[in-house]
Amino acid sequence: MLNRFLTDARGNVAPILGLALIPIFALVGLAIDYGRANSVKADIQAALDATALGLSKEVETIAEKDLKQRATAYFTAVLNRPEIVMTDLTPKFVKNGSSFELTITGAARVPGTVSRVLGQDHFEVGGFAQVKWGIKRLEVALALDNTGSMSSQNKMGHLKTAVHSLLDTLKKAASAADSVKVAIVPFDTTVNIGTSHKHEPWFDYDSLDCNGRDRGSGCTAINWKDHWQGCVRDRTYPYDVQDDAPGSKAGTLYPVHSCGSLTRALPLANDWGALNAKVDQMQPNGMTNVTIGLVWAWHALTPGAPFTQASAPAEDLDKVIILLTDGDNTEAWNNASNSEVTSASAIDARTRLACQNIKAANIKLYTIRVVDGNATLLRNCASSPSMYYDVQQASQLNAVFEQIATNLASLRVSK
């Protein structure tokens, strides 16, 4: 009987299975603990992201000694994991000119459960979040319709309010003195560039109608500079839709013209008082030529003559035109024949070319139609459909300009 018991193998399965269950349960427990650790890691990363984004909105006003305390308050308000022990939470804020970077690193210890049987009493997890924001150097030219139709429905009043709001937003976004500059280009069928350049060889004075509109004023081909008020019309094709410097090629001269009440353009500036004052000077009068408003806004964003305040293109510099008009093209100038153009389709064709050339020059283009105007032309003129605004009521202008200003000064996030 003893011999049979010792040689019988039928009872070996149970003890072998019992011994095998020990490492199986340990491995299952270890897998569960690893899963818990990964879940905690994901929650920590989400909390770090939320902390970085939230803290970035106020970090510029927080003293360095208080930064960690504030970061901890954000983090603990988001993370609900009482079983873990945070071993590190370190915020780092770097300012470089008008650009900012906030990095937050975090680490935690997750206690083990079943895995302790294998000697793994805890797991180390962590992560980091990074936010970069600020505003690139920014040059913005506002091409603003100042024609007679802007007097209806208080369009001009609403436009002034909206531009003041945009200027205020950009001023707040300008963390460095020269990081944001704005040009204001009122237009009708002409643009008033002022008379400070009148002695330069840039002008075609034959178009100044000394014997027509200005008859009796004493204006002649010799003394036109004494009578000229500073307005110019479209250059000879194709330079009417290009940015070539005046005088360098035939046809690049600016045809001079009488001004009426059109407000003088203000080249790029960061004098916010002067910019706001220029907006207040605008008065509605005259007919519409969108092309010339666009082209002179383009001139304002390039460093060549006659406006030389712009910077050369650079990776850290955005150039933007915001065009606003409330009507169809009605009158332009054909300098080759020294004659007016009154065909809307012919002027639209020039506007279309100007839009194409501006976008090809890597300038972002927003367009705003106020109640009236060629919607298709303006929509296609914008850099993208989202940068075209069709305003049905002038009172909506402020909201539109606020949205554009927010886009220009928006937070840029990277992780």
Side-chain angles (χ1 to χ4, degrees):
M1 184 180 294
L2 179 61
N3 185 55
R4 288 169 55 196
F5 176 78
L6 292 175
T7 59
D8 193 343
R10 289 175 295 176
N12 289 348
V13 174
I16 292 172
L17 179 60
L19 293 172
L21 285 177
I22 296 174
I24 291 173
F25 281 126
L27 290 173
V28 171
L30 188 62
I32 293 173
D33 282 350
Y34 269 118
R36 286 179 57 248
N38 285 329
S39 175
V40 171
K41 179 179 175 65
D43 287 348
I44 288 176
Q45 185 62 58
L48 288 171
D49 291 341
T51 300
L53 287 171
L55 192 59
S56 67
K57 298 176 182 178
E58 59 177 280
V59 66
E60 296 172 60
T61 63
I62 300 175
E64 185 177 356
K65 64 182 180 63
D66 299 325
L67 185 57
K68 184 166 185 175
Q69 179 182 356
R70 189 65 182 139
T72 302
Y74 266 106
F75 185 84
T76 55
V78 175
L79 186 67
N80 183 24
R81 284 284 190 171
E83 76 275 18
I84 70 171
V85 177
M86 290 300 299
T87 57
D88 177 56
L89 186 69
T90 303
K92 182 181 179 182
F93 176 53
V94 178
K95 179 179 178 181
N96 183 16
S98 60
S99 296
F100 306 89
E101 180 179 294
L102 175 65
T103 302
I104 301 181
T105 57
R109 182 175 295 132
V110 182
T113 54
V114 181
S115 60
R116 291 185 178 184
V117 175
L118 301 180
Q120 183 76 38
D121 62 345
H122 69 274
F123 299 86
E124 299 287 345
V125 296
F128 81 98
Q130 184 182 72
V131 177
K132 295 181 180 180
W133 76 98
I135 191 167
K136 289 182 177 180
R137 289 188 299 134
L138 181 63
E139 294 179 349
V140 182
L142 307 180
L144 304 176
D145 190 329
N146 274 215
T147 58
S149 56
M150 287 293 292
S151 62
S152 66
Q153 302 180 40
N154 193 28
K155 294 175 188 173
M156 182 59 75
H158 287 299
L159 173 60
K160 290 180 179 181
T161 299
V163 176
H164 285 315
S165 176
L166 178 137
L167 292 174
D168 183 58
T169 299
L170 294 181
K171 178 182 178 181
K172 292 176 181 177
S175 55
D178 291 332
S179 61
V180 180
K181 294 182 179 180
V182 180
I184 297 177
V185 183
F187 70 90
D188 47 29
T189 59
T190 65
V191 169
N192 185 346
I193 67 171
T195 59
S196 60
H197 302 295
K198 66 183 180 180
H199 297 297
E200 299 288 347
W202 301 339
F203 302 102
D204 178 3
Y205 58 82
D206 288 340
S207 63
L208 187 64
D209 193 4
C210 292
N211 296 317
R213 296 182 183 181
D214 300 321
R215 180 175 294 174
S217 66
C219 170
T220 68
I222 297 175
N223 68 3
W224 69 269
K225 296 176 183 179
D226 298 328
H227 293 265
W228 181 50
Q229 300 167 309
C231 284
V232 295
R233 295 198 278 198
D234 302 285
R235 294 195 286 185
T236 302
Y237 300 173
Y239 303 108
D240 62 319
V241 295
Q242 296 180 180
D243 186 50
D244 299 68
S248 60
K249 302 174 184 176
T252 60
L253 299 180
Y254 299 116
V256 298
H257 192 59
S258 54
C259 280
S261 60
L262 184 63
T263 301
R264 179 171 57 85
L266 179 63
L268 284 175
N270 56 5
D271 183 337
W272 304 102
L275 288 162
N276 280 289
K278 181 60 62 176
V279 173
D280 290 332
Q281 293 169 14
M282 297 190 305
Q283 298 296 328
N285 190 33
M287 308 294 279
T288 305
N289 179 9
V290 173
T291 310
I292 200 165
L294 270 173
V295 169
W296 275 95
W298 185 9
H299 292 338
L301 295 179
T302 54
F307 294 155
T308 59
Q309 292 80 7
S311 301
E315 289 186 3
D316 68 339
L317 174 62
D318 279 338
K319 292 178 182 282
V320 178
I321 290 175
I322 302 174
L323 166 70
L324 177 141
T325 185
D326 77 327
D328 295 312
N329 280 317
T330 54
E331 182 182 316
W333 185 249
N334 184 338
N335 198 47
S337 61
N338 204 32
S339 61
E340 290 180 346
V341 180
T342 56
S343 165
S345 61
I347 306 171
D348 286 351
R350 307 312 297 171
T351 300
R352 195 173 298 112
L353 284 173
C355 294
Q356 293 172 2
N357 293 340
I358 288 168
K359 289 184 286 188
N362 200 31
I363 295 174
K364 296 180 176 67
L365 186 51
Y366 289 87
T367 61
I368 304 169
R369 174 183 178 269
V370 186
V371 184
D372 295 309
N374 189 325
T376 301
L377 176 67
L378 295 173
R379 185 185 302 109
N380 293 337
C381 183
S383 293
S384 70
S386 65
M387 296 170 71
Y388 164 69
Y389 296 86
D390 194 343
V391 177
Q392 296 301 311
Q393 296 181 354
S395 59
Q396 298 170 344
L397 279 175
N398 195 50
V400 167
F401 273 78
E402 284 183 353
Q403 183 176 342
I404 293 173
T406 300
N407 290 342
L408 295 177
S410 61
L411 191 69
R412 303 195 310 273
V413 179
S414 68
K415 296 181 182 178

